[in-house]
Amino acid sequence: MAFSLAFLALLIERLVGYPQWLVARIGHPVMWIGALIDRLEKRFNDLSLSFGHRRRNGVIAFLILAAVTLIIALFVERSLLWLPFGLFVVAIVSSSLIAQKSLEAHVKAVAVGLETGGLDGGRKAVSMIVGRDPDQLDEAGVSRAAIESLAENFSDGITAPVVWLGLLGLPGAALYKATNTADSMIGHRNARYGAFGWAAARFDDLVNLPASRLTALLFIAAAAIVPGTSAKAAWAAVRRDARKHKSPNAGWPEAAMAGALGLALAGPRVYDGVLVDDHMMGEGGRREATADDIRRALALARVADLLLIILFGLLADGFSVLG
C-alpha cells in the first residue's frame, strides 16, 4: 500500500502542487512543524546552561517533536483510510510533504531574474532559496547557488519524503519532514544551536542517506537522456567528489549535477559573512555558470523526477502483484 501511496502522492503534487489559497487559509505542514519547533526551542534551549545540558534538552525536544508528529500522522492516516477512496485521500494529504512544483518554480525564478533583471534580479530571486549572502554573489555565483539548491533540495524535498512515504506511509514521510525542518531551523553549528540542534542534525544526516544516493543515480540516469548533459561525467564526479563534501549527503546529488552539466559546484561559500571552505563538486569543471545552465539543470531535474515517478509506479505495481 505504501508504494502505491507514494506513487499517487508524487503524481498529485506534480500535477497540482500545494495551492497558494490553501496556504493563505490554513498554512502548510512545514509551517505547523516550524511553529512547534520554535516553541520547543524557546522552552528548552536555555543558553545559560552547559553544553551537555543543552544537548540533552535538544534530544528531549526532538523526541517530543517526533512523537507529536508520528501520533498525529498515524491518526490522520488510519482515520482517512476508512473513507471511500481513502488511499487517494491520504495521497492528497501526503502530497503536501513533497516539493516538486515549488522547487522548480523557485529555481526557475532565478533564471528568469537573471535574464530579465540582471544581477540584481538574480540575487533577489536566489535569496529566497539559499542561506548565503546574495550581495557577495556575481552572476556565476547566483547561477551556481541556484543549481546547488536544486540538486540538494531535489533530494531533501522530493526523493527523501517519497522514500519514507513508500517505506512507512504518511507517518514516515511526516517524521522525515519534521526532522528536515528541524535541521534547517536549529541544526546549525553555532553558539545558539550547536548543542541544542545536535540530535536533529544527526538524525537528519541518517534519514537523508538513502535519498541522497538515489537522487545521484536519478541524475546520472537523466543525464543519459537529456541532450547536452553527460551521464559518464556525472558518474565520475560522484565517485570522485561526493564523499569529500562537508555534508555526508549533499555531495551526492551536487556532484552528479555538476558532472552532468560540466560545472564545478560547491567549493568556498560565504554564509552570514563567514567564509565556509568546501571541496569542489565536479572538480575541473566550468565555474562560470549562467542562466542557461540553470535551465539545463531544471531540464535534468524534470527528467529525474519523471524517472522517480516511474520507479515508484513500478514498485507499486510489483508489490500489488506480490500481494
Side-chain angles (χ1 to χ4, degrees), residues 110 112-127 134-143:
V110 181
V112 173
L114 286 170
E115 292 163 348
T116 61
L119 181 56
D120 288 341
R123 284 173 170 172
K124 182 178 180 180
V126 85
S127 69
D135 293 334
Q136 300 290 324
L137 301 174
D138 57 11
E139 181 178 348
V142 168
S143 299

Side-chain angles (χ1 to χ4, degrees), residues 286-309:
R286 177 169 49 88
R287 289 291 279 175
E288 296 304 311
T290 66
D292 287 340
D293 291 309
I294 298 176
R295 293 193 177 277
R296 286 200 302 141
L298 284 166
L300 189 77
R302 281 191 288 268
V303 173
D305 190 41
L306 177 60
L307 293 175
L308 182 65
I309 294 171

Side-chain angles (χ1 to χ4, degrees), residues 31-100:
M31 296 165 64
W32 310 333
I33 292 167
L36 176 56
I37 293 167
D38 186 58
R39 291 189 67 177
L40 290 170
E41 197 266 338
K42 289 176 179 175
R43 169 65 179 83
F44 287 99
N45 191 21
D46 185 345
L47 298 179
S48 68
L49 298 175
S50 68
F51 184 94
H53 198 155
R54 289 170 60 215
R55 187 159 81 168
R56 184 167 68 252
N57 281 1
V59 172
I60 294 170
F62 180 73
L63 289 175
I64 293 172
L65 172 68
V68 171
T69 301
L70 284 172
I71 290 169
I72 293 174
L74 187 61
F75 174 78
V76 169
E77 182 180 74
R78 294 291 174 86
S79 300
L80 294 178
L81 285 174
W82 283 97
L83 298 175
F85 307 103
L87 182 65
F88 186 73
V89 179
V90 177
I92 293 174
V93 174
S94 301
S95 70
S96 68
L97 304 176
I98 308 170
Q100 295 154 286

Side-chain angles (χ1 to χ4, degrees), residues 15 21 25 117 133 194 203 217 224 246 273:
L15 294 172
W21 63 263
R25 282 200 164 198
D133 184 356
F203 194 66
L217 292 176
K246 279 187 175 295

Side-chain angles (χ1 to χ4, degrees), residues 18 33 90 107 109 116 118 120 124 150 159 219 222 275 278 280 287:
Y18 194 88
I33 292 167
V90 177
V107 175
T116 61
D120 288 341
K124 182 178 180 180
L150 174 62
T159 310
F219 285 165
L275 178 65
D278 203 352
M280 295 281 188
R287 289 291 279 175

